[in-house]
Amino acid sequence: MSILNVIDNKYRDLWGMYDLQRNLKKKNIDLFFCNKFNWNLAINYINPSIIILPHIRNDSPHFKKIVNVAYEKKIKIICYPSESLDYRKHYLENEFPSNILDKIDKLFMWTIEQGKYIDEKNKDKIVVTGTTRFKVDKSIDHQGKIKTIGVTSSGRYLAPLTGNNNIIYTIKSRQKVHWAVSLLKGEVEFIDFLCQLMELAKELNIKLIYKPHPFEKIKLYREAIPDLIIEDDPDIRNFFKKIDICINHVSSANLQALKNKVPVINISNSLNLNDEFKEFFEDYVPSKLGIPVENIENLKKILINNNIEELFNMNIERGDLKSLQNLIPEYDTTNIMTEELSKMYTDKKRRKLINLIPYLLKEIYLIIFKKNRDTLFRPFSKKDENLLKKFN
């Protein structure tokens, strides 16, 4: 049996997939990967029994089309979300629209709560598998004096990975959705604080490393702030190896920091945010995690008066680790997924080799005309093959 996993963003969707691929191979099941621009030809070539999708959200016509085609071809469809943690009603109803759920065979959920708004007729499709997204590096063990602070980006609009970096156009284009403008303002406030933080790090003789959002163009940061040390490794665990504490605003990277026992400081109260921004993140749990600081001076005192262990104990005392466990409880995810996929076994289908040529030609086309798409998965790229193994 063959399974096709359609990758939207390789830096988000590939986590843990190498382990799953090896597990399935032991059961004589092949797991293949393709990108979102070549799924149709991939289906024709691989002839899968099952397709795994990273989302089926209502505002993504591209993936809705994949569902419709797979359904017509009688290919079983699984949705295993690569993004989660937001359990608000409007978000979940957009992620799992009822008109699409009727065509889905299984929903691999991170938590029970993630499926709370699924209609009753589709409830039996839910399998709580947990997620492979938040991998722990057991070698991370920072103690003693704070020597290096890490800062995780809070946005993706000021330094977008694709398109033109035209803030005037971006703001104007988002006027119909005012909360989106408030997110832009929040990013501006964050960058202003980052510049203050760089000066504080120099004053305290502390190293500062910045981790941009995966959708941000690193080149723009390097042009604007040449002396800013930037972590560009897509495996965020390497970032956590280099830092003693993580300074965060609303990024879910703080969850990975806490899982890797890196103390987290939350600077939300230090930024001049408008009411729409605060309302948007009101029920978003990751934005509440971390030791709160009121301003740069407050942060300075915390950095001077505490070591790494003391700060992590503060995270424990304020309930950050308990919130983390409630938000992303631990499951034996790879084995649960393997067993569920094995149960969906159908007669093994042969690959249609005659369709390999058009599939390859389309990949060549994407290499030439989509070369600026850094998040696009390239199935015949050694670099992406290594990335798959790296996110193990």
Side-chain angles (χ1 to χ4, degrees), residues 150-152 239-240 243-248 253-254 257 262-265:
V151 185
T152 51
F239 172 63
F240 295 134
I243 66 174
D244 297 320
I245 63 168
C246 179
I247 293 178
N248 186 64
N254 59 9
V262 176
V264 173
I265 292 177

Side-chain angles (χ1 to χ4, degrees), residues 276-294:
E276 284 181 326
F277 187 99
K278 294 174 182 177
E279 183 179 346
F280 185 81
F281 286 102
E282 179 62 33
D283 299 318
Y284 183 60
V285 177
S287 69
K288 312 302 177 188
L289 301 180
I291 304 159
V293 294
E294 300 301 320

